[in-house]
Amino acid sequence: LPISQAVFSLSSATGACPAGQPALHRPPMPWGDDVEDDLQVYGAHGAYSYGGSSSSYQTQQRGYAGSGGGGDHAIAADVPGAGQSEPLGTLREDEADGAGLTDKLRGPSDKFKRDAKVPDCCCSCWIAQRPVTCTCCGFAVLLIAIIAGLVSLPLEIETNFDSFLITDVESSMKLAAFESAANMRSTGSKRRLQSLGGQPAYSTKDLLIAYELNSPAGSQGILSTKILSQIARFEQSLREAPGFLDLCNSTHPSYHGLCDPGLSFSSYVLPSLEIREGSIVPKSMILDGMGFDPVPLRTAFLVAQQHGTEKLFLPTGYDPDVDESAEVLRTMFRFKFQVGTVSDPVAKRVESARQINQKWEKFFYEVLIPAFSDETDRVKLLKETINIWFDGSGFKDYEVKRAVGMDIPLAIGSAIFIHLYMLFHTRSLLLAMTGPFLAVLSVPLTFIICGVFFQTATVSFANFLAVFLAIGFGADVIFVYTDTWEDSVQYAEQISDRLAWTYRRAVKASLATTSTTALSFLCNLASVIRALRQFGFFMGICVMTTWLTITFIYVPLLLIDEIWLQRIRLQLRRRTHDEVTMKSTIFSAWSYIIYRLRWLLLLLTLGLVAMCIALIIRDVKMGEGLPDIFPENHNQNRGVAVLSDFEGLGNAFSTESLEPSRDETVCKEDDFDEMNSIRCVMHWCEADFAEERPKWEGNGTCDCKRRLKTGCDPVAQFAPVRLRMVGMAALTSTQLAATVGNHLLTGTGVQGVQFGSGGRAAMMEAQKEVPQLLQQVWETGDTTLDRMMEVSAELERTSPTATCGWDEICFCTGFLQCKLGSDWKTTLDMNLPNFRRLESSNLLTDGDCELDDVECRSLARHEQHEQMGRSLQKIVFSKVSISKRMKVRSIFGLKAVTDVKILGERPPEDMWEFLPSFDLSDPWAQRAMYFYCHDMPKELKVTRIWCWFNDFRNFARANNGRFPVKAVDWAASSKLFVDTSDGATRGARYIWLEEDVIRGMYYSIEVGMHKDAPSDEVLEFKDKWDAYSKEWNSRAPGSAKESFHVSDTWVRVESNARLLTSTAASLAILCILAFICMLAFTRSTALSGIVVLCTVTVIIILAFFITSVMQWTVGLIEVVAFIYFIGYALDYSLHIVYKYASDEALTREEQPKYIGHNQLRTSQRVQRTTFALKTMGGATLGSAITTAGSSLFLVFCTLTIFGKLGAMCFTVTIASIVFALCPLGAGLILCGPMRPGRCRGMCGDQPGAVSNTGGSAPVDGRRE
């Protein structure tokens, strides 16, 4: 205690701090007077080390501000007891070689006294006097800024992961401009809106359920009666759920049936049947799914076709004529709520829609999630055979929120781990709680900074990842400050001096790594991915903000914890001398091991890197498209993939569609009543096997039966004849006039009839298609479903005894024939000869398809049938499923803004503008617009096109008699077409109106290219579109040119093509910036190069982990990980290298005794390496443990995107710390620079250094 009081008195006397400075009153040193301690004493111009453990003490002049020295001066003086007669207290200023001591420690027993003065740094004296004030003010300013910022800049959470793929390639910016313009366009003329003023406005919510077969289920697959019955019962239990009923009852009454019973194929297969007495043929069927006797699949399919719902239920390309089985099935429940009328204020409708959205979200969480995770016996039995997936309006956002909610325990676990390790490392509850909290606060603070200066208010999932990254980087800075503060007790006594000592060493060390890490994020400004570029800038600012908050708020907390909160520390007593030096002892031993194994470590590292490169080259696979953010078997991954096998709802069942009829009439095969044929949905008969006839291909032989009519008026002039032909839908004029006409005049019962004048021509006009005929063999269950046509004729009766007429059925295809009554008589067969048809050379045939390509063969038959009997037309057919085909949109009259904005987002209204030269009143412009979609070459693979001018041309020719219309008539004609047209391009969907003037237009074009085709094929296809557009623009008049085309697929392939090049550029810039930043702090090109080399090595290890260990394809997430976690690859190596270059390394670290005096270069390298490991090894290891441990929790997240990022972060952290503590040390010992930051002659002639073993050792003068 007297010694401490003397030190405090001496400190006050020397003016270390202003009067009133509180000094730390500490108990005597716990290791006692018998243990010698190496101390360092600071003078006005230098620092002096002395102690009993060495035979000399040294001083080293510091380059402090105000000192006159210009270099390093090493001096040594003997301490008492070491052979020097003069005690330390008599040390003269001239003995310090100019580095004078202003304050002297007197007395031979003062070996534990610390320095009397440490130069002030970062206002350390002021902070030491007022730590509580500084902390409170810092927290107040920080919290006020965050609260005020969040109030003025409300957060908008972005859950649409598709937005993360937005790039600044030209196709992406054009697509964004088109979508922005489409969202902002007028919806129609004022007259159209006025006419709809009283119409109700709706908010539509869809629930889609997909069933996928997961085990064999017979020849019919998922369409077997057993599975469909189970599906029907499951859907019934879902409809009976209270929440389901409540929501369905709140829908508009006109659409109630769309949610109860909904639209399900099981309703068509299992209808309630009203069977005719003594027959198997029903009179009617009620489509409720409650029936016990299933109807044949062909029947259900036919009824669904009649309702236009077959595409809703069955996968694209399904054709029961080819294969009745299916592996997937879809059901839809539509909830259509009225939110007001079109004339209601927008705010009122928006509020109603908001309330409906809340109900819908509640329905998702409280009804659907329990229903689909129900483990009742019924659901268990159903899930043994099929997988159940579901999707609906807004469900992806709900699933993301639910997944994040499920991952909250993992986040809590990660936070607990961080706090526990912080508590273990700092031994302070205060520091363990406030340190990570300060790091987290830097994220909203950065958001506010970016929002104020760059007007960004959207928070994506990447910003949530910023919390994790900020804690990781913050922990690194926290450990540096904490360890430096704890080490300061060995070199300074007063609080202000310890604080100055901490700031002088920790600020520069942490700033070196922080600035380099910030630059590693800022290098993402070179990326073409907009979100990655903005997040890189965000994290660059966030890293610096984290450093500032910890530097100016956390460091004063160290003082508060030391002065007032020692009693609640994890360790109540003061650390012993052995505990203080344990860390140094461990890292000294580790340095010795590295020295002994230096060559082995480097050779193993080189071999490992070479092996990784070879395996990367072998295993690398490039991925395309958006990454999967959910697990493979998740509802939003596998379920969405299953649902993509079906036609989109826009084509399968649009929002304007009404509920189909639930009660359907079924006609018998011999029911020729015209009114019944109109009402019935199909014809049905019980059949027998017959001689098989080939499938109808336009010619063949038909087996015909007639039923004669009797009881007609003898004086009747005409005999009505109705002929139905099973297996076809239409005949050519030649077949009707010749073959069918002649057949009607021959055969059974023909007597006294003939065709009158124009009779054959009238018959040619009277052919029509009637509801199809289902023929069913009850005993075996065999069925056929065939199209059927009807021909009507009026034959002239030439005598009173002439035939009254007849009904006739001809079976022209298949192996079944209806069991007809006894009044049906066989007549002559009808032979339809070959005929010449004009067909398109592009017609798809069975020969174009593989044998096992069921979908292709189905499309071939469908297209051949549609082509039959038509005149020559130019059609391009495609084998690609309709739901998988690309969509291209050609835009006219708009100009996309393609200038790249580095930071922030361009407002939607600034993404595009109207072309002032666009004028469709010019007849030449109208001609050019029409021929754009009329003259498209075959190489563009156009399968369907929605061309506004094609419909307008037909409209103009029907109304005005000519096209193009004159300029003076254009305004009236175009307005009339927009208001009254009922064609495919009706209304204002495809145009931009401004005061009833068409300012822009687009065509929607479907092409026969698979939207997931390989990138090289798509790029080649895009080049053809570019060439066509360029050629058209060169020929178009000035009032219509400057068109461009967009497609989602263009964006995908161009983004993938640019992704790797931009990533390589970002990594190159990163290495250059890291080199420059390290060079600025160490002034050593060798050390800067070593840091870059370590960074590249860690990147190689990460690439090896991705491609070879995990066997992931290299896609967007993997590229993002390279950029996100590259800071970890820099951090730890940079810490070690920075301390290696420190001037203190040779003055505070003893020369290794296991190295001979003739190996001075190696000795000094070992000294520097050991010093770097001692001073920074603990902080870097602690930071790595915190980051790696917390990243393990990410691996188990529901969202696979976080799982992948967690695994990669863990790998990068482990690789970085291992390389920093092992191969890096070996490399520094073997080839580290002797005098980093100095060239020969800059600071003296000798590259020697002061050693704690005494004196200065000469080194040869060779240049480093």
Side-chain angles (χ1 to χ4, degrees):
L1 184 60
I3 294 175
S4 301
Q5 291 174 345
V7 171
F8 297 148
S9 301
L10 181 61
S11 300
S12 301
T14 55
C17 275
Q21 164 68 36
L24 176 62
H25 296 277
R26 305 176 50 143
M29 300 304 163
W31 50 84
D33 294 343
D34 57 336
V35 181
E36 294 182 336
D37 182 28
D38 290 338
L39 303 176
Q40 187 165 358
V41 181
Y42 290 84
H45 301 285
Y48 299 83
S49 294
Y50 68 98
S53 62
S54 60
S55 60
S56 63
Y57 63 90
Q58 297 81 31
T59 64
Q60 182 177 9
Q61 181 172 339
R62 310 296 182 184
Y64 296 151
S67 63
D72 291 349
H73 301 273
I75 60 174
D78 293 335
V79 298
Q84 183 74 306
S85 59
E86 187 174 8
L88 175 66
T90 61
L91 183 66
R92 299 187 304 276
E93 288 186 346
D94 56 351
E95 293 176 335
D97 192 24
L101 288 175
T102 304
D103 306 305
K104 299 180 180 180
L105 296 177
R106 296 179 176 83
S109 63
D110 293 346
K111 62 182 179 180
F112 294 116
K113 294 178 181 179
R114 304 305 194 261
D115 70 60
K117 170 66 178 175
V118 179
D120 188 29
C121 178
C122 298
C123 303
S124 57
C125 248
W126 195 89
I127 295 174
Q129 290 178 342
R130 307 166 183 83
V132 177
T133 302
C134 294
T135 302
C136 293
C137 291
F139 267 115
V141 172
L142 188 60
L143 293 175
I144 291 173
I146 292 174
I147 294 173
L150 293 179
V151 171
S152 58
L153 295 171
L155 295 176
E156 180 181 346
I157 299 178
E158 176 64 74
T159 57
N160 181 16
F161 283 75
D162 295 352
S163 64
F164 195 73
L165 195 61
I166 296 177
T167 60
D168 284 327
V169 296
E170 185 178 5
S171 59
S172 178
M173 290 187 285
K174 287 182 177 180
L175 179 61
F178 165 71
E179 291 177 344
S180 173
N183 292 331
M184 298 175 65
R185 69 176 182 265
S186 171
T187 58
S189 66
K190 294 180 181 179
R191 182 167 58 187
R192 174 179 288 269
L193 290 176
Q194 290 170 357
S195 65
L196 297 175
Q199 294 293 326
Y202 297 102
S203 176
T204 303
K205 304 294 183 182
D206 292 327
L207 167 61
L208 299 174
I209 303 176
Y211 304 96
E212 179 190 24
L213 193 66
N214 60 16
S215 61
S219 60
Q220 293 180 325
I222 201 171
L223 301 181
S224 67
T225 303
K226 178 181 178 182
I227 294 180
L228 287 175
S229 298
Q230 293 175 344
I231 291 175
R233 304 301 175 259
F234 168 75
E235 292 174 353
Q236 181 183 0
S237 65
L238 178 63
R239 295 194 304 267
E240 291 174 352
F244 193 103
L245 289 174
D246 295 340
L247 188 67
C248 187
N249 290 334
S250 63
T251 60
H252 193 275
S254 300
Y255 301 97
H256 184 272
L258 294 178
C259 58
D260 187 12
L263 299 176
S264 173
F265 192 62
S266 61
S267 299
Y268 288 77
V269 178
L270 297 167
S272 297
L273 301 176
E274 182 184 357
I275 306 297
R276 291 180 171 90
E277 185 177 356
S279 173
I280 66 168
V281 179
K283 293 174 58 178
S284 65
M285 58 176 68
I286 301 175
L287 308 177
D288 55 4
M290 305 299 292
F292 295 97
D293 294 325
V295 300
L297 280 178
R298 296 173 184 274
T299 304
F301 182 78
L302 172 62
V303 177
Q305 272 189 322
Q306 297 289 328
H307 292 167
T309 57
E310 80 281 3
K311 295 180 180 179
L312 177 65
F313 302 137
L314 297 162
T316 304
Y318 175 81
D319 187 349
D321 291 336
V322 178
D323 187 359
E324 285 190 348
S325 67
E327 295 185 354
V328 292
L329 190 66
R330 181 171 66 175
T331 295
M332 186 188 78
F333 297 96
R334 172 164 289 173
F335 301 79
K336 200 160 185 176
F337 308 91
Q338 185 174 352
V339 294
T341 63
V342 175
S343 59
D344 288 340
V346 175
K348 180 181 177 181
R349 285 182 284 161
V350 169
E351 177 60 24
S352 299
R354 186 187 64 81
Q355 295 176 2
I356 290 171
N357 290 338
Q358 292 177 349
K359 291 182 181 180
W360 185 245
E361 185 171 2
K362 182 180 178 181
F363 170 72
F364 172 82
Y365 288 111
E366 297 183 1
V367 178
L368 295 184
I369 296 300
F372 288 99
S373 59
D374 190 6
E375 294 300 328
T376 61
D377 294 338
R378 177 179 295 169
V379 175
K380 286 182 179 179
L381 182 63
L382 185 60
K383 290 185 176 180
E384 288 178 0
T385 311
I386 61 176
N387 297 320
I388 306 176
W389 313 105
F390 67 96
D391 196 10
S393 306
F395 281 9
K396 184 175 182 179
D397 292 348
Y398 301 157
E399 293 270 28
V400 172
K401 293 178 182 178
R402 179 169 177 262
V404 172
M406 294 171 61
D407 293 340
I408 286 178
L410 294 174
I412 295 174
S414 178
I416 291 174
F417 175 83
I418 292 172
H419 285 299
L420 287 178
Y421 186 82
M422 293 284 290
L423 183 62
F424 169 79
H425 193 98
T426 63
R427 307 192 182 205
S428 168
L429 291 172
L430 175 67
L431 301 180
M433 296 298 294
T434 56
F437 179 66
L438 284 171
V440 171
L441 287 181
S442 64
V443 176
L445 183 61
T446 306
F447 167 77
I448 293 168
I449 293 172
C450 294
V452 171
F453 291 99
F454 304 105
Q455 293 78 45
T456 57
T458 302
V459 179
S460 67
F461 84 97
N463 296 92
F464 291 103
L465 185 64
V467 176
F468 173 80
L469 297 176
I471 292 177
F473 291 118
D476 181 66
V477 180
I478 288 170
F479 290 142
V480 170
Y481 277 114
T482 303
D483 287 2
T484 308
W485 171 256
E486 291 183 352
D487 291 343
S488 69
V489 73
Q490 304 179 57
Y491 308 108
E493 181 68 26
Q494 284 198 1
I495 288 292
S496 59
D497 295 336
R498 288 184 60 190
L499 188 59
W501 195 92
T502 300
Y503 269 131
R504 282 199 170 274
R505 282 150 184 81
V507 168
K508 194 174 181 181
S510 60
L511 183 60
T513 55
T514 301
S515 57
T516 306
T517 302
L519 287 176
S520 72
F521 281 107
L522 292 175
C523 73
N524 288 297
L525 294 175
S527 176
V528 296
I529 302 177
R530 187 182 306 167
L532 186 57
R533 189 171 63 243
Q534 293 177 358
F535 180 72
F537 181 80
F538 179 90
M539 278 307 304
I541 302 297
C542 186
V543 168
M544 295 304 300
T545 305
T546 303
W547 181 82
L548 289 172
T549 56
I550 292 174
T551 298
F552 291 103
I553 300 179
Y554 178 80
V555 175
L557 286 172
L558 292 171
L559 277 67
I560 296 174
D561 179 74
E562 184 86 9
I563 298 173
W564 289 291
L565 302 179
Q566 281 199 20
R567 291 186 178 277
I568 62 172
R569 292 172 66 91
L570 187 62
Q571 181 179 355
L572 295 179
R573 62 185 179 84
R574 184 65 187 168
R575 293 180 181 178
T576 64
H577 183 265
D578 291 338
E579 290 174 323
V580 171
T581 58
M582 185 182 299
K583 180 178 67 174
S584 298
T585 304
I586 292 174
F587 282 107
S588 294
W590 182 246
S591 177
Y592 173 75
I593 295 173
I594 293 176
Y595 168 73
R596 292 300 184 190
L597 302 177
R598 58 192 184 279
W599 283 109
L600 178 61
L601 287 173
L602 283 183
L603 290 176
L604 287 176
T605 302
L606 292 175
L608 176 64
V609 171
M611 180 194 71
C612 290
I613 294 175
L615 292 176
I616 290 170
I617 296 174
R618 186 196 69 179
D619 299 331
V620 64
K621 297 177 182 178
M622 301 307 300
E624 296 184 354
L626 285 171
D628 294 328
I629 64 174
F630 291 96
E632 182 178 357
N633 289 323
H634 192 274
N635 189 58
Q636 285 295 322
N637 192 351
R638 179 57 189 167
V640 171
V642 172
L643 285 168
S644 67
D645 292 338
F646 299 87
E647 190 78 16
L649 282 184
N651 294 327
F653 200 80
S654 66
T655 56
E656 293 82 13
S657 300
L658 299 175
E659 178 187 3
S661 173
R662 299 286 178 178
D663 191 354
E664 294 292 355
T665 302
V666 178
C667 295
K668 292 188 66 177
E669 78 286 352
D670 58 357
D671 188 350
F672 278 77
D673 183 85
E674 186 172 358
M675 294 303 299
N676 288 340
S677 295
I678 295 175
R679 291 195 306 268
C680 67
V681 69
M682 64 183 302
H683 293 87
W684 194 331
C685 75
E686 184 176 3
D688 267 335
F689 292 99
E691 180 182 354
E692 184 172 0
R693 299 180 183 276
K695 190 172 182 64
W696 176 256
E697 296 291 346
N699 61 287
T701 302
C702 301
D703 185 5
C704 300
K705 297 186 181 336
R706 287 180 179 174
R707 182 179 61 186
L708 297 176
K709 297 179 180 180
T710 60
C712 61
D713 189 346
V715 297
Q717 184 178 0
F718 297 102
V721 176
R722 292 180 182 271
L723 169 64
R724 288 181 177 173
M725 306 183 70
V726 179
M728 65 188 70
L731 291 175
T732 64
S733 300
T734 302
Q735 289 173 321
L736 284 171
T739 306
V740 175
N742 294 337
H743 172 78
L744 293 179
L745 298 180
T746 59
T748 303
V750 176
Q751 180 180 352
V753 291
Q754 64 181 13
F755 279 104
S757 175
R760 291 181 184 265
M763 182 185 65
M764 293 168 56
E765 298 293 333
Q767 71 166 336
K768 62 181 179 180
E769 186 174 6
V770 295
Q772 298 186 33
L773 173 64
L774 175 72
Q775 302 179 79
Q776 179 182 17
V777 179
W778 179 253
E779 182 177 356
T780 63
D782 290 282
T783 61
T784 61
L785 184 66
D786 299 296
R787 304 177 79 170
M788 188 162 61
M789 63 165 290
E790 181 178 290
V791 177
S792 300
E794 294 285 341
L795 300 180
E796 287 186 356
R797 301 179 70 206
T798 58
S799 67
T801 59
T803 302
C804 293
W806 66 88
D807 298 327
E808 184 171 348
I809 300 178
C810 293
F811 298 92
C812 304
T813 185
F815 59 95
L816 299 181
Q817 286 188 12
C818 293
K819 290 182 178 180
L820 300 175
S822 58
D823 53 345
W824 288 85
K825 307 299 181 183
T826 301
T827 187
L828 297 176
D829 291 345
M830 180 168 52
N831 296 312
L832 293 167
N834 293 325
F835 66 97
R836 183 181 180 185
R837 289 185 297 149
L838 295 176
E839 299 180 358
S840 170
S841 60
N842 294 316
L843 186 64
L844 184 65
T845 64
D846 285 351
D848 297 325
C849 304
E850 300 292 337
L851 292 177
D852 58 349
D853 193 347
V854 176
E855 181 177 291
C856 176
R857 299 172 74 86
S858 174
L859 287 173
R861 272 181 287 277
H862 177 69
E863 291 171 352
Q864 290 166 10
H865 181 82
E866 288 187 340
Q867 185 68 12
M868 190 174 302
R870 296 181 182 176
S871 59
L872 181 63
Q873 54 181 325
K874 184 178 180 181
I875 301 175
V876 176
F877 297 102
S878 174
K879 302 178 184 179
V880 180
S881 169
I882 294 177
S883 62
K884 302 294 184 181
R885 294 176 187 174
M886 282 177 50
K887 277 288 189 68
V888 180
R889 292 173 174 86
S890 296
I891 297 94
F892 309 88
L894 270 64
K895 180 180 180 181
V897 178
T898 57
D899 298 334
V900 177
K901 189 174 183 180
I902 300 299
L903 295 175
E905 296 184 4
R906 185 175 278 110
E909 62 271 14
D910 294 342
M911 293 181 179
W912 61 280
E913 58 185 18
F914 288 121
L915 287 173
S917 60
F918 188 71
D919 183 11
L920 293 179
S921 63
D922 181 4
W924 284 105
Q926 298 175 44
R927 296 185 182 100
M929 294 292 292
Y930 168 72
F931 285 111
Y932 182 94
C933 54
H934 185 268
D935 291 344
M936 285 188 162
K938 179 181 176 181
E939 62 184 7
L940 299 185
K941 301 182 179 181
V942 176
T943 55
R944 288 190 295 176
I945 184 169
W946 289 263
C947 179
W948 190 91
F949 255 100
N950 189 46
D951 292 344
F952 176 76
R953 174 178 177 269
N954 297 333
F955 174 84
R957 296 182 66 178
N959 287 272
N960 301 328
R962 63 171 59 88
F963 174 85
V965 300
K966 298 178 181 179
V968 294
D969 299 329
W970 164 253
S973 296
S974 61
K975 181 178 177 58
L976 183 62
F977 176 74
V978 170
D979 291 338
T980 62
S981 172
D982 58 355
T985 59
R986 61 185 177 274
R989 178 178 179 180
Y990 295 92
I991 60 176
W992 282 265
L993 288 173
E994 195 173 76
E995 297 181 354
D996 286 338
V997 176
I998 298 178
R999 298 295 307 278
M1001 179 181 299
Y1002 78 92
Y1003 298 156
S1004 183
I1005 306 165
E1006 180 190 86
V1007 297
M1009 169 70 75
H1010 200 292
K1011 59 184 178 182
D1012 295 324
S1015 295
D1016 52 350
E1017 295 182 13
V1018 176
L1019 288 174
E1020 182 180 356
F1021 185 57
K1022 180 179 180 295
D1023 290 339
K1024 297 176 181 179
W1025 272 89
D1026 291 337
Y1028 177 74
S1029 182
K1030 182 179 180 180
E1031 181 186 2
W1032 185 86
N1033 282 325
S1034 65
R1035 294 185 287 104
S1039 54
K1041 60 174 51 180
E1042 297 189 38
S1043 71
F1044 62 93
H1045 55 88
V1046 297
S1047 174
D1048 293 334
T1049 310
W1050 301 158
V1051 177
R1052 174 180 65 85
V1053 296
E1054 281 201 57
S1055 297
N1056 289 329
R1058 290 283 303 277
L1059 187 61
L1060 289 181
T1061 57
S1062 67
T1063 302
S1066 297
L1067 292 177
I1069 295 173
L1070 165 64
C1071 293
I1072 294 172
L1073 291 178
F1075 181 87
I1076 294 173
C1077 189
M1078 190 61 195
L1079 185 63
F1081 281 96
T1082 64
R1083 294 176 295 172
S1084 171
T1085 55
L1087 292 181
S1088 302
I1090 289 173
V1091 171
V1092 172
L1093 185 61
C1094 288
T1095 303
V1096 173
T1097 304
V1098 173
I1099 293 174
I1100 293 173
I1101 296 298
L1102 177 59
F1104 166 74
F1105 173 79
I1106 292 172
T1107 58
S1108 299
V1109 177
M1110 302 304 297
Q1111 295 184 345
W1112 293 333
T1113 57
V1114 180
L1116 178 64
I1117 294 301
E1118 290 71 26
V1119 169
V1120 168
F1122 275 107
I1123 304 302
Y1124 278 9
F1125 302 130
I1126 206 64
Y1128 292 116
L1130 282 169
D1131 231 10
Y1132 308 136
S1133 298
L1134 202 153
H1135 272 309
I1136 300 300
V1137 168
Y1138 175 76
K1139 281 300 181 182
Y1140 177 93
S1142 174
D1143 291 338
E1144 297 177 328
L1146 299 180
T1147 58
R1148 288 175 51 190
E1149 184 62 38
E1150 296 181 357
Q1151 279 189 342
K1153 297 178 181 179
Y1154 48 83
I1155 299 178
H1157 292 287
N1158 59 341
Q1159 297 180 341
L1160 185 59
R1161 285 180 173 272
T1162 302
S1163 176
Q1164 291 190 6
R1165 287 172 179 148
V1166 172
Q1167 270 185 281
R1168 290 182 177 274
T1169 304
T1170 305
F1171 173 76
L1173 291 175
K1174 282 183 177 181
T1175 54
M1176 281 297 166
T1180 55
L1181 185 60
S1183 176
I1185 291 174
T1186 305
T1187 304
S1190 60
S1191 65
L1192 276 178
F1193 289 88
L1194 282 177
V1195 175
F1196 303 102
C1197 286
T1198 304
L1199 296 177
T1200 56
I1201 189 170
F1202 290 126
K1204 280 189 173 184
L1205 291 175
M1208 289 184 278
C1209 180
F1210 180 84
T1211 303
V1212 168
T1213 304
I1214 296 300
S1216 299
I1217 193 63
V1218 169
F1219 271 85
L1221 298 181
C1222 295
L1224 176 60
L1228 292 174
I1229 290 174
L1230 282 173
C1231 55
M1234 296 293 297
R1235 303 177 65 207
R1238 293 174 176 81
C1239 296
R1240 182 178 178 183
M1242 283 182 61
C1243 303
D1245 294 330
Q1246 297 296 328
V1250 179
S1251 170
N1252 275 347
T1253 58
S1256 176
V1259 183
D1260 60 51
R1262 288 178 295 175
R1263 185 179 300 274
E1264 291 295 325

